[in-house]
């Protein structure tokens, strides 16, 4: 699902895998990231290349059931650091992915289709040896996770969609988010200025952690045009058939002040009554940044229901 306007009125930000993705590794220089200063578990940066597109991942390691985390539009893998640290501490193999056009992955990919995003996920799972993982995504990342599960029956051990669903989006959302990008006062003069502009608190910190320092200021790592093309593919129709095709256990998490309305979640549960669902009180669309421990509890309860599985 596409990121809508934020709750304060400001806009927020099926395919087969291509052969022979090639990984490269490097160890992170420090534990965690600025998005989660309390993080203590080290992660290793891994790169998977598919069809010439570089995909960067934060691999936290761990012997247990793998959990793969996908961020939303204009986001980055570091948004998941707190969640990743908690899951890693519980023994899970955790990998957070910078999707194409985001973070440290390829900045200007030619293909921004939904199918390309799905194929990227499949390539990462294959090259990093992640068997039957739980695939969790927020917003547009949740939509990617949903389509991956639908297009590849049997590939996943579980699906978690956070503030994402199959109902499609407001056809004006691309224009609205493009207009929001135009308001960014880039370069930001300081991290504090960026945090304040991007919502303040944990949400602003999470978004600001995705900026890069160059040319005397802080700039987005993403190209706005790539973001809008990535978003456009999910706004032109609904995805109910794909939702109904998902064959793995599923958890749907929505926020009280998020973008997935009652009619959409009711439709999701009516079509798939076995799905577990939860709403996070007081949270907005970026629930993984606002309430990471609440989300962690929901994830661990869901993982416990799936049973213990080792990735070794």
């Amino acid at each position: 699902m596409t990121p809508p306007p934020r709750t304060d009125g400001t806009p927020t930000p099926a395919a087969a895998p291509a052969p022979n993705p090639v990984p490269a590794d490097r160890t992170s220089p420090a534990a965690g990231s600025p998005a989660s200063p309390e993080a203590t578990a080290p992660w290793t940066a891994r790169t998977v290349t598919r069809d010439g597109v570089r995909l960067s991942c934060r691999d936290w390691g761990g012997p247990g059931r793998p959990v793969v985390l996908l961020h939303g539009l204009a986001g980055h893998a570091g948004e998941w650091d707190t969640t990743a640290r908690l899951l890693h501490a519980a023994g899970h193999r955790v990998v957070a992915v910078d999707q194409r056009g985001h973070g440290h992955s390829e900045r200007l990919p030619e293909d921004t289709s939904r199918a390309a995003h799905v194929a990227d996920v499949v390539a990462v799972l294959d090259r990093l040896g992640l068997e039957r993982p739980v695939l969790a995504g927020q917003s547009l990342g949740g939509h990617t996770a949903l389509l991956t599960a639908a297009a590849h029956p049997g590939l996943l051990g579980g699906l978690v969609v956070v503030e994402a669903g199959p109902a499609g989006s407001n056809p004006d959302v691309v224009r609205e988010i493009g207009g929001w990008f135009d308001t960014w006062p880039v370069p930001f003069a300081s991290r504090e200025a960026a945090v304040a502009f991007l919502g303040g608190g944990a949400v602003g910190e999470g978004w600001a952690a995705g900026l890069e320092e160059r040319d005397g200021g802080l700039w987005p790592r993403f190209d706005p045009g790539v973001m809008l093309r990535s978003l456009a593919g999910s706004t032109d129709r609904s995805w109910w058939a794909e939702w109904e095709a998902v064959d793995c256990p599923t958890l749907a998490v929505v926020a009280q002040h998020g973008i997935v309305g009652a009619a959409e979640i009711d439709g999701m549960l009516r079509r798939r009554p076995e799905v577990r669902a939860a709403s996070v009180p007081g949270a907005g669309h970026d629930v993984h940044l606002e309430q990471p421990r609440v989300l962690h509890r929901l994830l661990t309860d869901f993982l416990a229901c799936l049973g213990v599985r080792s990735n070794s």
Side-chain angles (χ1 to χ4, degrees), residues 221-292:
R221 291 188 183 275
F222 60 81
D223 177 82
V226 170
M227 295 300 96
L228 298 181
R229 292 197 302 274
S230 299
L231 180 59
S234 65
T235 62
D236 55 356
R237 69 176 182 90
S238 66
W239 305 84
W240 290 109
E242 287 78 5
W243 173 251
E244 293 174 1
V246 173
D247 69 345
C248 61
T250 302
L251 168 67
V253 180
V254 297
Q256 181 181 2
H257 304 299
I259 66 170
V260 180
E264 183 170 8
I265 193 68
D266 286 349
M268 293 166 70
L269 297 178
R270 185 170 61 253
R271 289 168 171 84
R272 296 185 58 209
E274 79 284 1
V275 167
R276 295 167 62 98
S279 177
V280 180
H285 182 55
D286 290 322
V287 60
H288 62 308
L289 295 173
E290 295 179 40
Q291 299 285 349

Side-chain angles (χ1 to χ4, degrees), residues 23-38:
D25 301 345
R26 71 180 189 276
T27 302
S28 61
S33 78
S36 56
E38 64 182 336

Side-chain angles (χ1 to χ4, degrees), residues 11 39 44 67 101 161 167 197 257-259 280 296:
T44 298
V67 181
V161 289
F197 177 82
H257 304 299
I259 66 170
V280 180
H296 171 68

Side-chain angles (χ1 to χ4, degrees), residues 83-109:
T83 299
R85 178 182 64 83
L86 293 169
L87 290 171
H88 175 267
H92 295 284
R93 168 82 182 277
V94 185
V95 175
V97 182
D98 276 329
Q99 298 187 83
R100 59 174 53 214
H102 296 78
H104 292 279
S105 291
E106 195 79 26
R107 179 182 171 90
L108 298 172

